[in-house]
């Protein structure tokens, strides 16, 4: 709620500040659509959800094999962002489709579509990039398909189950939903079924958790790595848990911050799988905000390091070269580079603020990153003006590329971003 109020304040500043937006600019392919089913290509149509059979989900709730085939690593990708204040057509706001070219240029396609109220979270896609999942501000999950032309079909404006969604993760065996409430209020992990025909069905709670923030998997063991204050009734102060979901069974827990004052804002798993990196942006603690790293051992959780005095670490990205980390400081209007050495007992070292092209970010928020092809390491960050871009490079390079302005009006403020694989 506080961040929403700040967005509203930023909208007033946008109206007053005019062109102070840096070098980026929104291009456009023109002729976009503004309906709840934007453009052509519906379910089962060209480039959209379809295929033979109506296979149902297994494991975490995914239609086995229907969405697994990866598209070419080097190609134009679609990016989807939320616009919570674009309420001229729908009081819940809108979503917009952008195009990220193979060369790295980000432009508007002119297409907007409508589901529930956008929230400032990462928007997740299936491996083939055909279906997207957007956690929304009312706790529902908006689900849409997008075809090869960028035309969108809304599959469900807001899936509502027993959960209040705070995060979504896709794994080979399906869709997992993270509910950040206390257990008695529904907190924990849930499944979401997506059939091969694009039918979405909420599933049951798989396990109880307290203040869960995000979910990852150890590819070596298949264990779940859950960022949460508690799991399966655990009572010790902890922020990360290793779980066998087949039981489910709690295998190990780790206290990332050394106290019970933290509120986890964002979590990232390093590319080599050596550490989970967590941000604490609690506004209610006497302890200054910070970033922590928790070692992922072969079958457990290991050493912990804390970087103190990092203002509002709202979102975090990790380099594909496994040697640098990017922290977006929301209230600090800053992007910070952190050096990372996975072999060190103290793997994190604060380098400092990036050198900006066209000025610093404004209320940087959720982020998404390209993780394949020549653009591997391209980070897209929600900004009140549009989308800020950063590129990871070899030798711990972290380069600010400026902001792509999406129009400069209140209705163009961005909350939430996702990019196709």
């Amino acid at each position: 709620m506080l961040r929403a109020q700040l967005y509203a304040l930023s909208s007033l500043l946008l109206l007053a500040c005019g062109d102070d937006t840096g070098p980026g600019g929104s291009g456009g392919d023109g002729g976009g659509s503004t309906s709840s089913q934007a453009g052509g290509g519906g379910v089962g149509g060209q480039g959209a959800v379809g295929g033979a059979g109506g296979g149902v989900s297994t494991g975490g709730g995914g239609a086995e094999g229907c969405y697994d085939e990866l598209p070419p690593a080097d190609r134009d990708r679609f990016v989807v962002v939320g616009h919570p204040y674009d309420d001229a057509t729908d009081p819940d706001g809108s979503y917009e489709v952008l195009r990220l070219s193979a060369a790295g240029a980000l432009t508007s396609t002119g297409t907007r579509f409508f589901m529930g109220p956008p929230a400032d979270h990462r928007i997740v896609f299936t491996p083939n990039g055909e279906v997207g999942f957007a956690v929304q501000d009312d706790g529902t999950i908006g689900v849409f398909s997008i075809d090869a032309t960028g035309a969108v079909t809304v599959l469900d404006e807001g899936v509502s189950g027993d959960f209040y969604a705070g995060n979504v993760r896709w794994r080979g065996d399906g869709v997992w939903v993270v509910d950040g409430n206390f257990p008695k209020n529904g907190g924990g992990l849930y499944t979401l079924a997506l059939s091969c025909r694009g039918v979405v069905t909420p599933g049951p709670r798989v396990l109880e958790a307290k203040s869960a923030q995000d979910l990852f998997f150890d590819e070596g063991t298949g264990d779940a790595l859950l960022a949460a204050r508690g799991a399966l009734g655990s009572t010790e102060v902890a922020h990360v848990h290793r779980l066998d979901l087949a039981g489910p069974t709690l295998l190990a827990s780790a206290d990332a911050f050394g106290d019970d004052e933290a509120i986890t804002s964002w979590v990232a798993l390093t590319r080599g799988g050596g550490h989970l990196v967590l941000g604490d942006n609690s506004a209610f603690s006497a302890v200054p905000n910070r970033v922590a790293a928790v070692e992922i051992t072969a079958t457990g959780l290991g050493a912990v390091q804390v970087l103190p005095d990092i203002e509002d670490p709202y979102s975090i990205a990790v380099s594909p070269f496994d040697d640098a980390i990017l922290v977006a400081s929301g209230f600090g209007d800053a992007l910070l580079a952190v050096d990372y050495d996975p072999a060190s007992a103290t793997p994190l070292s604060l380098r400092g603020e990036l050198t900006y092209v066209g000025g610093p970010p404004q209320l940087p928020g959720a982020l998404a990153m390209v993780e394949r092809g020549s653009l591997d390491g391209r980070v897209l960050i929600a900004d009140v003006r549009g989308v800020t871009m950063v590129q990871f490079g070899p030798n711990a390079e972290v380069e600010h590329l400026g902001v792509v302005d999406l129009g400069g009006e209140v209705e163009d403020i961005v909350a939430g971003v996702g990019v196709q694989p």
Side-chain angles (χ1 to χ4, degrees), residues 201-219:
T201 307
R205 180 163 62 175
V206 175
L207 63 85
E208 294 183 354
K210 176 183 177 182
S211 302
Q213 209 285 333
D214 208 345
L215 174 70
F216 300 85
F217 290 89
D218 183 331
E219 293 305 322

Side-chain angles (χ1 to χ4, degrees), residues 46-134:
Q46 180 181 1
V49 181
V56 295
S57 61
T58 60
E64 188 173 6
C66 297
Y67 306 100
D68 293 345
E69 185 175 355
L70 290 170
D74 289 307
R75 71 191 196 287
D76 287 4
R77 291 172 165 85
F78 292 112
V79 173
V80 174
V81 298
H83 294 296
Y85 301 110
D86 179 20
D87 57 3
T89 301
D90 188 321
D92 283 337
S94 72
Y95 292 83
E96 181 177 5
V97 180
L98 312 176
R99 183 186 302 274
L100 181 65
S101 75
L106 185 65
T107 56
S108 175
T109 66
T111 294
R112 295 203 181 197
F113 62 100
F114 306 94
M115 301 192 295
D120 198 31
H121 293 280
R122 179 189 56 254
I123 296 171
V124 175
F125 286 89
T126 54
N128 64 4
E130 291 181 359
V131 179
F133 305 86

Side-chain angles (χ1 to χ4, degrees), residues 121-123 266 315-317 326 328 365-369 379-382 417:
H121 293 280
R122 179 189 56 254
I123 296 171
W266 198 275
S315 57
I316 299 170
L326 174 69
L367 61 77
M369 189 174 81
V379 185
L380 308 167
I381 308 167
V417 59

Side-chain angles (χ1 to χ4, degrees), residues 9 68 105 170 194 323 341 379 406:
L9 176 60
D68 293 345
W170 177 279
L194 174 68
D323 55 9
D341 180 359
V379 185
L406 295 179

